[in-house]
Amino acid sequence: MRLLNLKNISLSIILIIFTVLLFKYLLPAANGTTETEQPSITANEDMALVKPEADSPPLLNNLYLPKPETFKPYPERKLLKGKYLQAVGGFTIPRIKIGKTYHRSIQLDFLPGSNKWVTGHSAGYVIELIEPEQIGIGAPETWPTLKVARKQPALQDIRKITASGVLWLNEDEVLTSGRKSYRSGFEPKWLAKVNLATGTEIQYTITSESNTKNDNFHMLQALGGGFMRLTDKEWSKKYLNGIGFLLGKGGYDVLGSPLGPALGYWEMDNKPPRILLDYPHNKQPATRDPYYFYPEKDPNTSHLAHIPMWKHPQGDTGYWQAGSVGGLTFINHPEVKGVLATHNFGRGLHDYRAQGDLGSIRYFLVQRPEIFYTERGLGRRNDRGNHSKEIANSIYPEGILAHAGRVFDPDALVEVYNNKKKPWETQLSQFEWPDSGLKWDVSSKNPTVVGSVTWDNQRQLLWAAIGDRKQAKLVAYKIIVDDDRPNIPMNLPDQWLEYHNERNAQNLK
């Protein structure tokens, strides 16, 4: 009898354990399933938590809503600096399965005054995400995961356009857009409005003002795949006719893309957008730091290494090569202003042939010259332009991926809107993106990048989606206006700085 009771107890324990595992790992979440996270970044344990006010509503924990009278006039506000940003915690972005497709996007938008986010999915959906009750603090692997809620199909019948950029219009309606590969040509239906409650989808037909082949494709690459909410409604009423958001993202993706961030004014109709920020390659690329080079040590270096639209640095001023833009946001802080774009790019040796061959990484960056310019770079890849034969170029230092914030005064948008300057004449300042103790993957197959950025008016937080194929986090930053805080050090090996100084000295001769 005792043996029988022990068997019954053992069977009960096994049944309980099986049930727990079933609910935790096997049962799909409503409207999509999430895969167990494998975090690869860690954070400092001394990250300060934003303190909530006593009367904060539950869905807006850690709330800090400034009084209107505390906002300085825009001319008196300081332009955002990287040193002002202090990470305070965040959430984990889930990897979502729809059908047979897993996808984790670092393009998100926040519904003001709520606990809701929205994202796109490569299977052709927009998906609502809900914040957990509390923001995660401490090590990112402990941060709670955004919960999958409603989803609806979007742009599924449009060839090679995927729901990428997203923007809440209200608690049910979302705008979404994408952009294309240059090999597939222009598509006029690249933006849609989707109702998460009813499933209704309205697709817009949007072309450029000239409606020519090249202008249409450039407009799509400039404005598709992103949005920027104008978080200061009074400012928008005064200067931009009360528009609630701008289209745009920009950054180099394929030939015909902007060499910098881009924004456009659009009134939710089928009329062409009006470009307010843009850096066409045949006009003027956006500026950047000058720490990039082209191979020249080998006398047999192919002319294919450098393409005409890539400009050499002029002194300490560099020009956009092939960096990507993660997103843009409008900062509305009592003491700080700025339109902020995230920028992922390379420092070191750029070679147009560096498109996936061994030793290369994103943005035409040669990460490992000792591989790329020798027979070690052949592998199973192509040997574009015989780069493996240019042995003398193999002695260059390694290239590195960099991440920056590009910021400018909102008045620049007003000047373009009033026809006082061209969209490519806006000057961008640059700061290193703060890692806040995070560890970034720099491997050629899985590099971490900064995605969308979102300004949260009510919590006065800047949210940045940061991630790679293995993991992604939605990081919250508060702004500390203190010019005595140290500048964020530039991620630049000394050898590349020496190369730059030598180049400047030669140019002065």
Side-chain angles (χ1 to χ4, degrees):
M1 182 67 69
R2 174 180 292 182
L3 181 62
L4 182 60
N5 289 337
L6 288 175
K7 288 182 177 180
N8 289 339
I9 293 172
S10 299
L11 288 173
S12 298
I13 292 174
I14 292 171
L15 182 61
I16 292 171
I17 293 173
F18 175 78
T19 303
V20 170
L21 292 175
L22 178 68
F23 276 92
K24 186 173 183 179
Y25 295 107
L26 301 180
L27 289 182
N31 294 316
T33 60
T34 60
E35 188 178 78
T36 303
E37 292 289 321
Q38 298 294 328
S40 60
I41 58 177
T42 57
N44 292 330
E45 295 294 337
D46 59 353
M47 295 167 65
L49 175 65
V50 177
K51 295 181 179 180
E53 295 183 359
D55 58 350
S56 299
L59 298 183
L60 291 175
N61 60 87
N62 305 329
L63 178 70
Y64 169 59
L65 183 60
K67 296 179 180 180
E69 60 269 21
T70 64
F71 282 81
K72 295 181 179 179
Y74 272 85
E76 297 179 16
R77 299 188 199 182
K78 297 181 178 181
L79 199 63
L80 178 67
K81 299 177 182 178
K83 66 169 67 177
Y84 294 167
L85 297 178
Q86 173 66 49
V88 297
F91 301 108
T92 295
I93 300 172
R95 184 173 184 235
I96 303 169
K97 182 181 180 183
I98 297 180
K100 297 182 179 180
T101 304
Y102 280 100
H103 185 72
R104 178 191 289 110
S105 175
I106 52 173
Q107 297 295 314
L108 297 91
D109 183 52
F110 175 66
L111 177 63
S114 77
N115 64 338
K116 298 180 180 181
W117 294 79
V118 67
T119 190
H121 194 283
S122 58
Y125 285 83
V126 290
I127 304 173
E128 179 183 53
L129 302 172
I130 307 296
E131 293 180 5
E133 291 184 359
Q134 291 292 328
I135 187 173
I137 58 174
E141 57 263 31
T142 68
W143 291 357
T145 301
L146 295 170
K147 302 174 183 178
V148 177
R150 298 176 294 177
K151 67 178 176 67
Q152 289 292 352
L155 297 171
Q156 291 190 355
D157 60 334
I158 305 301
R159 182 173 175 267
K160 295 191 176 182
I161 291 283
T162 301
S164 177
V166 285
L167 179 93
W168 285 104
L169 292 174
N170 53 56
E171 61 183 10
D172 289 322
E173 292 182 312
V174 174
L175 288 180
T176 185
S177 70
R179 55 185 193 175
K180 296 190 72 177
S181 162
Y182 69 94
R183 290 188 175 89
S184 58
F186 174 68
E187 167 56 58
K189 292 185 178 181
W190 50 271
L191 188 151
K193 180 173 67 173
V194 178
N195 192 306
L196 288 172
T198 66
T200 303
E201 178 181 5
I202 299 175
Q203 296 176 353
Y204 296 87
T205 299
I206 305 174
T207 61
S208 65
E209 290 187 9
S210 68
N211 200 18
T212 59
K213 179 180 178 180
N214 289 341
D215 287 352
N216 280 345
F217 187 77
H218 178 80
M219 176 212 64
L220 172 57
Q221 298 306 104
L223 304 185
F227 303 87
M228 186 184 80
R229 187 183 309 281
L230 292 172
T231 55
D232 187 341
K233 294 181 180 180
E234 295 303 317
W235 183 91
S236 177
K237 288 179 182 178
K238 185 175 181 180
Y239 296 112
L240 292 184
N241 199 33
I243 200 79
F245 64 89
L246 300 175
L247 304 177
K249 183 179 175 185
Y252 185 88
D253 181 28
V254 295
L255 292 173
S257 303
L259 293 178
L263 289 169
Y265 179 101
W266 182 66
E267 295 183 335
M268 289 194 65
D269 52 26
N270 289 321
K271 295 179 181 179
R274 182 177 175 185
I275 303 297
L276 299 183
L277 182 73
D278 188 19
Y279 299 89
H281 77 274
N282 59 348
K283 299 292 184 181
Q284 178 65 48
T287 56
R288 55 155 286 183
D289 66 65
Y291 305 112
Y292 59 91
F293 303 80
Y294 308 115
E296 58 182 12
K297 292 188 179 299
D298 195 300
N300 297 316
T301 299
S302 170
H303 69 281
L304 297 175
H306 176 262
I307 55 178
M309 71 177 182
W310 287 354
K311 295 183 63 175
H312 290 271
Q314 302 295 318
D316 289 331
T317 300
Y319 301 93
W320 200 285
Q321 301 295 294
S324 67
V325 173
L328 296 100
T329 194
F330 189 102
I331 304 297
N332 184 27
H333 182 274
E335 300 179 66
V336 176
K337 62 182 175 181
V339 174
L340 170 66
T342 58
H343 182 197
N344 305 288
F345 60 105
R347 289 191 177 120
L349 205 62
H350 285 66
D351 191 317
Y352 188 66
R353 298 167 295 176
Q355 300 185 41
D357 292 20
L358 295 177
S360 68
I361 198 171
R362 295 182 182 182
Y363 317 127
F364 303 107
L365 180 66
V366 181
Q367 187 181 40
R368 301 283 300 279
E370 79 279 9
I371 294 177
F372 188 77
Y373 294 110
T374 66
E375 291 186 356
R376 294 172 62 193
L378 292 177
R380 298 179 181 178
R381 304 278 186 170
N382 296 324
D383 187 16
R384 294 179 177 86
N386 296 318
H387 58 75
S388 68
K389 306 297 191 296
E390 299 167 5
I391 307 298
N393 288 330
S394 66
I395 66 171
Y396 281 102
E398 291 189 1
I400 59 170
L401 289 176
H403 313 280
R406 313 304 305 281
V407 64
F408 64 90
D409 195 307
D411 282 348
L413 296 175
V414 181
E415 291 181 290
V416 178
Y417 183 78
N418 292 330
N419 296 312
K420 293 183 179 180
K421 66 188 302 184
K422 301 295 185 183
W424 51 87
E425 293 177 344
T426 295
Q427 296 298 310
L428 308 176
S429 63
Q430 175 177 314
F431 61 78
E432 294 292 289
W433 194 264
D435 60 22
S436 306
L438 307 182
K439 182 179 179 181
W440 300 56
D441 191 333
V442 296
S443 65
S444 60
K445 294 183 178 180
N446 190 49
T448 304
V449 296
V450 185
S452 61
V453 278
T454 306
W455 179 252
D456 183 343
N457 264 339
Q458 289 173 283
R459 288 180 285 197
Q460 287 289 290
L461 293 174
L462 174 68
W463 297 87
I466 301 174
D468 48 55
R469 293 178 182 177
K470 294 180 180 179
Q471 55 78 39
K473 304 295 176 180
L474 187 58
V475 185
Y477 299 88
K478 68 176 178 180
I479 291 180
I480 301 175
V481 186
D482 181 3
D483 286 313
D484 291 331
R485 287 164 65 92
N487 288 317
I488 301 169
M490 180 174 289
N491 183 19
L492 180 70
D494 292 340
Q495 197 169 353
W496 282 121
L497 182 59
E498 292 171 5
Y499 270 106
H500 170 68
N501 292 335
E502 290 173 4
R503 177 174 57 190
N504 277 353
Q506 292 175 357
N507 291 337
L508 291 175
K509 293 180 181 179

